[in-house]
Amino acid sequence: VMDDGHGMTKDDAVRGFGRVGGSWKRSAATTRTQHRSLHGKHGQGRYAAFSLGGQITWISVAADGDIGHGEILITGDRNDLRRFEISDSKPSTRSIKGTRVVVRRLDERAVAILGRDDIVDNLTAIFAIYLESYSQVTWGGTKLDPSRLQEHRVEYPLTVPGMEGKASLTVIEWNAKIDRAIFLCDSDGMALHQISPGIWAPGFDFTAYLRWNGFRDLGRDIHLLDFELEQAAPLLECARRTLREHFRLDRTTLSTLISTSRKIGDRLDFLAGLNALVFDTESNRQTLERRQLHRILAEETWIFAEEYALTGDDDRLLQVLRGHAEILGDDIDFTDSRTPPRRADGRDAIPDLVLSRKVEQHQNRIEHIVIELKRPKIDIGVAQINQIESYALAVLDDPRFTQANVFWDFWVVGVRVDKYAEMRRNQDSLPHGFIQRSGRYSIQVRTWAEVIGDAEHRLKFVARNLEYRSSRDQGIQYLRDTHSKYLPSALRPDEGK
């Protein structure tokens, strides 16, 4: 990462890297030479680089009265954040002043973010307002140009009783897929923090920029705004209210609105029906794992993970392997793979559902969820946990699954768990529900109440805005209309309620 600022002398570096809060920016409003707005003043920016990697080197060229352009090196390691090594100044071969930051030992998350195909577009969105007033920013030789992606732009002045200073909200709609966000900016448009928009706007790719100089005065407390920090909560509510008004009905095509509303309504009805299917006493007793529950859920896999697609349905892992190879391309040869992978007891490994997604980054990470469904009358215990662990072992021991960029998440789902399963899924070292987790795989024990609750949570904001309420009767009717051939007799239309 490079800039063309005034650089740092050794004295600047000693002052700036000596302690947290030691930044010269605390007493300055603009840069020394080109008078650009400064970003940061609390002396913590040096540590932000360590969120990307474990070792950081700053190479800075600045005017030095004795040697002309002097160059210094500053090095730091995440294993010892209290210590930075600063070299003596030496004559530089570079004629341009400024600072370069080199990050080594990159974290996996940083690699994923920086390797995204849409990294340029999303960086353009972050700096869109700032770039209107200041010089250019480039990424990998590509200039960040908001005009290339901007489809519609509106600015709204905001007034909040008792608030000091001017505030405004700029809404930009893009012609590309951009991560939605509200960027909290100073009056110059520098993004200091981002929060979720918290509104419903189907069919739009947008970002909003809330400008108020008071955000700078919040300092580190700006990160608490996600929890409605008292000083700025009225302004945030005003911004979100303005954003909702911006995307009112005449900004949304009627067909998109109707289609989205129907889809959300159907999903809420399905959750209500699933509740009846797995928890009502009579239907619970009659519901079978393979013929009914499994068949219905194979057509409603969004309940487990919205972003995954169904790639395997009650098939041998050999077929899963073939589907896996289709995602990877021609990396795996199945010409000698006539024997299916076996579980520890020698039987073929046959999971209920396999969901997959390909995460587009430079490593093309592949993620799978293998789901073992249990009929409502079966509690999850030792046998069921052994079964899902055997699936995991069948995959991890098979040489056809050794790709480093593949991750597997194994679930076993049932109505209830026994004491043994509850103990396994409540370990201090793991998140609730997990019984094993590593860099290659994880194993979870989930209840239907948790799966349905998570799905309801994902839908509740939209449902609240649609003012849609589902009921048991609506849920059962949805199942009858959509999955009647798989329903137990207690829920079939010709059998009564």
Side-chain angles (χ1 to χ4, degrees), residues 133-294:
S133 305
Y134 297 98
S135 58
Q136 69 180 25
V137 175
T138 62
W139 173 267
T142 301
K143 180 181 176 181
L144 305 187
D145 180 13
S147 64
R148 177 178 62 88
L149 303 173
Q150 186 171 301
E151 187 169 277
H152 186 65
R153 184 185 190 279
V154 182
E155 183 167 335
Y156 301 96
L158 302 181
T159 302
V160 176
M163 185 187 70
E164 296 182 3
K166 294 181 178 180
S168 66
L169 182 72
T170 302
V171 182
I172 298 181
E173 297 169 24
W174 307 98
N175 58 23
K177 188 67 176 176
I178 299 292
D179 293 339
R180 291 180 175 184
I182 295 178
F183 291 101
L184 309 181
C185 308
D186 61 18
S187 57
D188 293 306
M190 171 58 75
L192 307 175
H193 186 52
Q194 73 180 71
I195 61 176
S196 170
I199 71 157
W200 185 56
F204 288 98
D205 294 293
F206 71 91
T207 47
Y209 306 83
L210 180 54
R211 284 200 270 190
W212 179 50
N213 226 31
F215 288 133
R216 274 196 173 275
D217 299 329
L218 292 176
R220 292 181 290 270
D221 288 344
I222 196 171
H223 298 284
L224 299 177
L225 287 176
D226 296 311
F227 304 98
E228 303 299 327
L229 189 66
E230 184 178 355
Q231 298 96 307
L235 179 59
L236 293 181
E237 177 54 34
C238 179
R240 286 189 167 120
R241 188 166 56 247
T242 303
L243 200 55
R244 292 187 191 101
E245 178 64 19
H246 175 84
F247 288 108
R248 64 190 186 277
L249 183 56
D250 60 359
R251 297 284 306 139
T252 307
T253 64
L254 185 58
S255 60
T256 298
L257 187 62
I258 293 173
S259 174
T260 302
S261 300
R262 183 183 298 118
K263 183 177 182 179
I264 297 300
D266 285 348
R267 290 189 173 187
L268 291 170
D269 288 343
F270 172 72
L271 292 176
L274 184 60
N275 261 298
L277 185 65
V278 298
F279 293 116
D280 284 10
T281 302
E282 187 63 22
S283 60
N284 175 309
R285 185 178 60 82
Q286 296 178 1
T287 300
L288 301 178
E289 175 185 337
R290 284 289 196 269
R291 288 189 302 174
Q292 293 161 336
L293 185 62
H294 178 191

Side-chain angles (χ1 to χ4, degrees), residues 290-352:
R290 284 289 196 269
R291 288 189 302 174
Q292 293 161 336
L293 185 62
H294 178 191
R295 304 311 323 157
I296 292 171
L297 290 166
E299 299 177 15
E300 305 276 1
T301 57
W302 60 269
I303 191 175
F304 300 108
E306 186 76 46
E307 68 272 28
Y308 289 79
L310 182 67
T311 59
D313 175 9
D314 195 12
D315 209 346
R316 294 185 177 188
L317 276 179
L318 177 59
Q319 299 304 318
V320 177
L321 285 169
R322 296 189 187 280
H324 182 69
E326 291 176 4
I327 296 176
L328 290 174
D330 298 324
D331 297 339
I332 300 177
D333 184 2
F334 287 103
T335 55
D336 60 350
S337 301
R338 289 181 294 272
T339 302
R342 302 274 181 177
R343 298 191 333 198
D345 60 6
R347 291 181 295 161
D348 290 354
I350 308 177
D352 281 341

